[in-house]
C-alpha cells in the first residue's frame, strides 16, 4: 500500500475513499520510521478532507523548518508528498459551491476515466502467492 499509493488515490472516487487510503497509508508506516519524524510532522487524526488539508499544512510547516538528518528529511518529504497528493485528490472529488455531486466529473491527472479505465484501477492487487519467481536469465 505505502509504495502504491498513487494507484489507490487515483482509484478513489469519493472524499471518504481518499480518507480510507490516507488511513491505510499511515498505518503502513513502521513505528521506528514514525519515531524518526519530528513531532510536528506526525499527522494527527484525519476524518475529513478539512482534517487532511490541516494536517498537510502542518507537515508542510514542519518541512519548511526542518533541522534534522538527511534520513529523517527523506521521511518528512515522503509524508508531505503523499499528504499533498491526497489533499489534491480529495479536492478534485469535492463539489465547488453551486455544483452538485452528480454533475461533478472526477478527473485523474486532468482526464476523466472511462468505465474500462476505472475497472483497471479497482482491480485487486495480486496476492503474493500468485507471483511467479523470477529466475536468473529471465
Amino acid at each position: 500500500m505505502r509504495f502504491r499509493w498513487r494507484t489507490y488515490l487515483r482509484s478513489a472516487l469519493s472524499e471518504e475513499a481518499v480518507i480510507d487510503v490516507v488511513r491505510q497509508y499511515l498505518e503502513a508506516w513502521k513505528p521506528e520510521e514514525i519515531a524518526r519524524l519530528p513531532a510536528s510532522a506526525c499527522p494527527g487524526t484525519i476524518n475529513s478532507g478539512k482534517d487532511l488539508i490541516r494536517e498537510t499544512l502542518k507537515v508542510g510547516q514542519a518541512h519548511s523548518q526542518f533541522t534534522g538528518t538527511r534520513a529523517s528529511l527523506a521521511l518528512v518529504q515522503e509524508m508531505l508528498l503523499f499528504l499533498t497528493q491526497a489533499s489534491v485528490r480529495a479536492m478534485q472529488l469535492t463539489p465547488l459551491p453551486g455544483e452538485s455531486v452528480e454533475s461533478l466529473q472526477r478527473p485523474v491527472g486532468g482526464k476523466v476515466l472511462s468505465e474500462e479505465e476505472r475497472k483497471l484501477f479497482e482491480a485487486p492487487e495480486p496476492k503474493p502467492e500468485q507471483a511467479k519467481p523470477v529466475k536468473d536469465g529471465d
Side-chain angles (χ1 to χ4, degrees):
M1 161 55 158
R2 182 163 160 200
F3 300 101
R4 292 189 49 151
W5 59 263
R6 286 175 180 84
T7 300
Y8 289 100
L9 284 177
R10 285 184 195 120
S11 67
L13 300 177
S14 68
E15 180 181 299
E16 294 79 20
V18 171
I19 300 305
D20 286 342
V21 171
V22 170
R23 287 185 186 132
Q24 291 173 31
Y25 174 85
L26 294 175
E27 288 171 3
W29 279 64
K30 296 176 185 171
E32 56 271 15
E33 292 173 315
I34 296 290
R36 289 176 42 201
L37 291 172
S40 58
C42 294
T45 303
I46 299 174
N47 293 315
S48 68
K50 287 183 181 183
D51 292 343
L52 176 58
I53 291 170
R54 181 194 66 239
E55 294 304 309
T56 302
L57 292 171
K58 181 178 97 173
V59 174
Q61 185 69 27
H63 179 260
S64 72
Q65 298 172 347
F66 186 80
T67 60
T69 65
R70 289 216 175 266
S72 293
L73 176 60
L75 293 172
V76 171
Q77 289 173 332
E78 179 186 337
M79 181 70 73
L80 180 58
L81 176 63
F82 169 77
L83 291 174
T84 300
Q85 291 299 309
S87 295
V88 167
R89 184 65 179 144
M91 289 305 297
Q92 288 175 334
L93 299 169
T94 303
L96 296 173
E99 281 184 320
S100 68
V101 175
E102 295 80 31
S103 68
L104 183 66
Q105 293 187 348
R106 302 184 190 296
V108 175
K111 178 181 178 190
V112 176
L113 293 179
S114 69
E115 282 302 313
E116 259 182 47
E117 291 168 319
R118 192 170 291 138
K119 286 178 186 176
L120 288 174
F121 282 120
E122 294 171 356
E125 281 190 65
K127 295 181 181 175
E129 63 270 8
Q130 293 174 340
K132 296 179 182 177
V134 176
K135 297 179 184 175
D136 288 338
D138 283 353

